[in-house]
């Protein structure tokens, strides 16, 4: 491929960045979440821990050997629009077929759909390495996988037979073409039109911010498009979902242009190897699309897949924070600067900056965010596996409720706190971190997108408080409470500091009481008062959820130390991060709880002209 390794600077470790902590991932995946037990479900019976670990190892090696070396070149030399077509970095022409051949696109799909039927939990664990190695390069596969899943779920037999195989094989790529210039996140305001025309529809309209919407890697690009059938009612109930290819089947065989044009590129600050385009549909009146699912249920169909997409975004947040954390850790171990406070002799040798307490403070906060987020996204993926494939209906229902509750948290926490973690990675590098000679600044740029796409943080807060926490009369919240209490009881038995468990139990009780109060305001006819602090609610709720997952990790770490298992240094690190989160971060929810409860309304009262 002829690619130079990314520049890491004069004080970088001689060892390449591992992207993720292998032992830490294994600990969460197997010791905490018992992912191997998924193989006992009939749907995954052809697998076991050996196949799970083998798949993760394949993706790990591909990420480290192929994707990571291409990160810097793709960031420096982004796609260009030339003669109406998008041209990507040449390195992707080697990367893409190898990634498709590896099976990344279809790993978690059923055997009958051409997949490997690997649990979503294991697929995500493997994908985290790919995301950390090169989020933009992985993005082509993630988008294609999501689009193919929609075809699999809602396409007619003819559509599945025509489009699924080439998408899973990587000959065709896929995208989600939802957003429009005037609508943004408000998909109820989609204006793209679809006019019936025989066995297809003719579409006219425009889309914006379409990741991977055009490129010169694959034979074709297949768009999942939201549009309104002529005569459809306004609002969300009038939106339908269509399959719209860049090239459509020609009558004489082969493919022909489908009146899908790219008038412009979005020049992004991050994810620069993955083009974001403007799409013009039907300017010549001949853009053909095929209906997926039922008319008027486009958003409902899309949102059946939204858990998958939002957990993938959360995974990107974890991966982007992880690769930067490990880079700053390697830098801190190698970079000599200053002396211990007790050493006043200027002739003594300088020490690595990791010897300074404030640097360890920054590293520990990064570790707590990264590994707390890792447990969060893998727990969400595990609930997705159980919701779809658990044997008993009540197990599937319970998992689905918990998954719905965790999804806005799994999407948002790794993005928002991950950005803080990425900023700390820059800070650990000091002046070097504020230069393009080192990679943390690029990962900081990448991370910001994760709080924007697939529903902004504000949208996630409205979804969590407005819909999810009181689903089925608060059943989902009750299930989370049971999980938190089970983790606290296990931690008590393991011998954790009782201040940890009492703090988490108290915080969970505060969240439960606050939620009932806010729900009461909504039931009383004042939804604006209920949702006034929805973003703050999401923040405090996320902090408590991650505290639950750190409690679990702390309990399992203590059990491991008591049994004499190997990796005592890793287990002690887990306890340090758990203690940090439970004793330092968790108490910070107090002012947020008070603001939500009191209805502090400064941002609601301020008028536009006052700014």
């Amino acid at each position: 491929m002829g690619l130079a390794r990314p520049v890491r600077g004069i004080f970088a470790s001689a060892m390449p960045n591992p992207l993720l902590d292998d032992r830490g991932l294994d600990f969460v995946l197997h010791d905490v979440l018992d992912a191997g037990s998924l193989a006992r479900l009939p749907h995954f019976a052809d697998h076991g821990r050996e196949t799970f670990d083998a798949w993760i190892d394949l993706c790990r090696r591909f990420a480290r050997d192929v994707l990571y070396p291409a990160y810097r070149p793709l960031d420096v030399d982004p796609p260009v629009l030339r003669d109406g077509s998008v041209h990507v970095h040449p390195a992707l022409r080697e990367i893409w077929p190898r990634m498709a051949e590896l099976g990344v696109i279809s790993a978690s799909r059923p055997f009958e759909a051409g997949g490997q039927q690997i649990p979503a939990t294991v697929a995500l664990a493997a994908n985290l390495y790919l995301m950390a190695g090169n989020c933009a390069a992985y993005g082509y596969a993630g988008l294609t996988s999501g689009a193919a899943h929609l075809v699999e779920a809602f396409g007619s037999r003819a559509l599945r037979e025509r489009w699924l195989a080439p998408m899973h094989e990587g000959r065709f790529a896929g995208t989600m073409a939802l957003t429009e210039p005037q609508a943004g996140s408000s998909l109820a305001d989609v204006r793209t039109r679809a006019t019936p025309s025989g066995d297809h529809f003719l579409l006219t309209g425009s889309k914006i911010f379409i990741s991977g919407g055009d490129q010169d890697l694959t034979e074709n690009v297949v768009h999942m498009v939201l549009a309104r059938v002529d005569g459809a009612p306004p609002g969300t109930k009038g939106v339908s979902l269509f399959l719209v290819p860049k090239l459509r089947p020609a009558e004489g065989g082969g493919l022909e242009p489908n009146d899908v044009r790219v008038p412009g590129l979005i020049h992004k600050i991050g994810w620069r190897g993955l083009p974001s385009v403007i799409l013009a549909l039907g300017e010549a009146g001949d853009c053909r699309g095929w209906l997926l699912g039922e008319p008027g249920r486009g958003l409902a169909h899309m949102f059946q897949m939204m858990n998958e997409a939002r957990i993938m975004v959360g995974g990107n947040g974890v991966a982007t924070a992880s690769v930067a954390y490990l880079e700053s850790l390697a830098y801190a171990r190698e970079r000599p600067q200053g002396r211990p406070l007790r050493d006043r002799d200027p002739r003594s040798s300088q020490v690595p900056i990791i010897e300074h307490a404030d640097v360890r403070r920054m590293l520990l906060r990064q570790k707590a965010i990264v590994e707390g987020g890792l447990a969060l996204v893998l727990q969400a993926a595990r609930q997705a596996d159980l919701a779809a494939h658990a044997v008993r209906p009540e197990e599937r229902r319970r998992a689905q409720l918990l998954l719905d509750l965790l999804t806005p948290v799994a999407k948002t926490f790794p993005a928002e706190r991950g950005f803080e973690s990425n900023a700390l990675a820059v800070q650990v590098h000091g002046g070097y971190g504020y230069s393009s000679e080192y990679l943390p600044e690029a990962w900081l740029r990448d991370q910001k997108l994760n709080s924007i796409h697939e529903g902004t943080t504000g949208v996630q807060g409205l979804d969590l408080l407005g819909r999810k926490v009181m689903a089925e009369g608060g059943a989902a919240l009750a299930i989370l409470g049971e999980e938190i209490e089970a983790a606290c009881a296990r931690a008590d038995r393991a011998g954790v500091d009782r201040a940890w468990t009492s703090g988490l139990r108290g915080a969970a009780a505060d969240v439960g009481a606050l939620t009932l109060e806010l729900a009461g305001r909504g039931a009383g006819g004042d939804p604006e008062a209920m949702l006034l602090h929805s973003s703050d609610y999401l923040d405090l709720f996320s902090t408590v959820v991650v505290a639950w997952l750190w409690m679990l990790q702390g309990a399992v770490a203590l059990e491991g130390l008591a049994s004499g298992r190997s990796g005592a240094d890793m287990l002690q690190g887990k306890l340090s991060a758990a203690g940090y989160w439970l004793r330092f971060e968790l108490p910070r929810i107090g002012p947020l709880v008070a603001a939500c409860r009191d209805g502090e309304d400064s941002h609601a009262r301020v008028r536009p002209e006052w700014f």
Side-chain angles (χ1 to χ4, degrees):
M1 190 157 46
L3 296 174
R5 293 195 68 81
V7 177
R8 300 185 68 207
I10 59 175
F11 291 107
S13 169
M15 295 295 293
N17 192 313
L19 311 180
L20 271 80
D21 176 1
D22 298 344
R23 292 190 304 168
L25 176 67
D26 188 76
F27 173 82
V28 171
L29 190 64
H30 294 300
D31 295 321
V32 177
L33 299 180
D34 191 18
S37 66
L38 293 170
R40 294 198 291 269
L41 300 178
H43 186 74
F44 303 120
D46 288 333
H47 294 293
R49 177 163 177 175
E50 287 186 3
T51 58
F52 294 165
D53 289 347
W55 172 246
I56 292 171
D57 187 57
L58 281 174
C59 291
R60 176 191 294 127
R61 286 188 278 117
F62 182 76
R64 289 173 177 168
D65 296 343
V66 179
L67 293 184
Y68 179 65
Y71 176 82
R72 171 70 82 187
L74 266 61
D75 183 66
V76 170
D77 189 11
V80 295
L81 181 62
R82 188 168 58 245
D83 299 325
S85 296
V86 176
H87 300 266
V88 300
H89 195 285
L92 284 167
R93 296 192 186 91
E94 180 176 339
I95 289 172
W96 175 251
R98 293 178 65 179
M99 188 154 52
E101 184 180 0
L102 188 62
V104 171
I105 298 169
S106 60
S108 63
R109 304 314 311 144
F111 293 132
E112 59 267 24
Q116 301 173 54
Q117 209 154 302
I118 289 174
T121 311
V122 177
L124 178 59
N127 288 343
L128 289 171
Y129 283 98
L130 306 176
M131 297 169 181
N134 198 318
C135 61
Y138 169 78
Y140 294 94
L143 288 162
T144 302
S145 180
H149 194 173
L150 284 169
V151 177
E152 177 193 330
F154 301 112
S156 65
R157 175 179 292 182
L159 290 177
R160 294 197 305 271
E161 289 177 351
R162 179 177 292 277
W163 300 102
L164 265 185
M167 293 177 77
H168 282 162
E169 292 165 5
R171 292 190 290 114
F172 295 178
T175 78
M176 306 290 182
L178 315 181
T179 307
E180 297 181 3
Q182 83 291 339
S185 297
S186 181
L187 297 179
D189 295 312
V190 163
R191 294 178 185 168
T192 297
R193 307 299 307 180
T195 301
S197 179
D199 69 341
H200 59 270
F201 291 75
L202 295 176
L203 278 79
T204 55
S206 63
K207 299 289 181 177
I208 196 169
F209 305 129
I210 309 308
S211 296
D214 193 57
Q215 33 76 9
D216 55 350
L217 289 176
T218 62
E219 300 171 32
N220 203 356
V221 182
V222 183
H223 305 288
M224 303 293 110
V225 177
L226 290 180
R228 294 182 184 279
V229 177
D230 290 343
T236 59
K237 294 182 179 179
V239 178
S240 300
L241 180 64
F242 297 87
L243 184 155
V244 181
K246 175 184 177 180
L247 302 175
R248 69 194 183 206
E251 289 187 8
L255 299 170
E256 64 182 12
N258 190 35
D259 196 11
V260 176
R261 195 173 69 84
V262 181
L265 276 175
I266 308 299
H267 301 287
K268 301 179 295 181
I269 63 171
W271 290 64
R272 299 182 70 196
L274 178 68
S276 180
V277 311
I278 302 166
L279 286 180
L281 308 176
E283 288 185 328
D286 193 25
C287 175
R288 300 182 188 180
W290 287 265
L291 183 68
L292 289 173
E294 301 175 36
R297 290 186 54 79
L299 281 179
H301 296 334
M302 280 298 308
F303 276 96
Q304 284 192 39
M305 304 301 161
M306 226 18 107
N307 282 335
E308 177 182 329
R310 287 175 173 170
I311 292 169
M312 182 177 72
V313 171
N316 269 304
V318 170
T320 303
S322 174
V323 66
Y325 160 58
L326 294 174
E327 190 81 354
S328 64
L329 177 60
Y331 179 86
R333 285 174 169 159
E334 297 289 332
R335 171 67 158 117
Q337 183 174 298
R339 296 161 184 84
L341 292 176
R342 64 182 177 275
D343 186 352
R344 298 177 179 270
D345 183 358
R347 295 167 298 181
S348 62
S349 298
Q350 291 185 318
V351 296
I353 61 173
I354 200 169
E355 297 294 334
H356 301 307
D358 193 60
V359 172
R360 294 199 298 276
R361 174 190 64 84
M362 292 187 283
L363 291 171
L364 184 59
R365 180 166 172 76
Q366 288 184 73
K367 179 181 176 69
I369 291 170
V370 169
E371 296 176 12
L374 174 70
L376 171 63
V377 296
L378 291 178
Q379 177 71 271
R382 184 174 182 273
Q383 297 306 318
D385 283 323
L386 294 174
H389 304 297
V391 175
R392 294 186 298 161
E394 58 269 28
E395 290 178 315
R396 295 196 296 273
R397 173 185 172 274
R398 188 180 194 281
Q400 187 63 57
L401 284 167
L402 188 55
L403 171 63
D404 289 342
L405 187 64
L406 291 179
T407 295
V409 179
K411 192 276 181 187
T412 303
F413 176 88
E416 292 289 359
R417 295 298 185 95
F419 188 79
E420 296 176 24
S421 180
N422 280 91
L424 286 171
V426 172
Q427 187 75 16
V428 168
H429 280 74
Y432 291 110
Y434 200 66
S435 69
S436 59
E437 281 72 31
Y438 284 72
L439 287 172
E441 63 84 22
W443 291 317
L444 182 69
R445 291 187 277 107
D446 289 341
Q447 184 68 274
K448 190 58 208 154
L449 181 61
N450 292 318
S451 62
I452 297 172
H453 61 168
E454 296 298 343
T456 64
T457 296
V459 168
Q460 302 305 320
L462 293 170
D463 182 43
L464 176 66
L465 183 53
R467 298 186 183 94
K468 300 298 175 58
V469 290
M470 292 306 294
E472 297 191 20
L477 191 61
I479 291 168
L480 177 62
E482 293 168 3
E483 293 288 336
I484 289 174
E485 177 53 37
C488 288
R490 182 174 180 177
D492 282 334
R493 292 192 299 272
V496 305
D497 185 337
R498 288 303 175 103
W500 295 11
T501 51
S502 64
L504 180 53
R505 285 181 171 118
D510 288 344
V511 169
L514 173 64
T515 303
L516 290 175
E517 289 181 38
L518 296 176
R521 294 174 193 176
D526 195 352
E528 289 188 2
M530 174 187 175
L531 298 172
L532 182 63
H533 283 276
S534 57
S535 290
D536 294 325
Y537 181 89
L538 173 58
D539 186 358
L540 70 90
F541 193 92
S542 299
T543 300
V544 173
V545 167
V546 173
W548 157 49
L549 295 166
W550 269 119
M551 186 70 74
L552 269 178
Q553 292 188 72
V556 176
L558 271 177
E559 292 167 357
L561 288 169
S563 68
R565 64 155 284 181
S566 60
D569 58 333
M570 182 269 291
L571 298 176
Q572 291 288 1
K574 288 290 183 183
L575 285 171
S576 295
Y580 165 80
W581 197 264
L582 290 157
R583 293 300 302 275
F584 192 79
E585 289 294 325
L586 185 59
R588 293 186 177 191
I589 72 167
L592 295 176
V593 171
C596 292
R597 176 170 285 135
D598 298 344
E600 194 286 320
D601 65 346
S602 56
H603 63 284
R605 286 185 295 106
V606 64
R607 296 183 180 181
E609 63 269 22
W610 294 354
F611 284 99

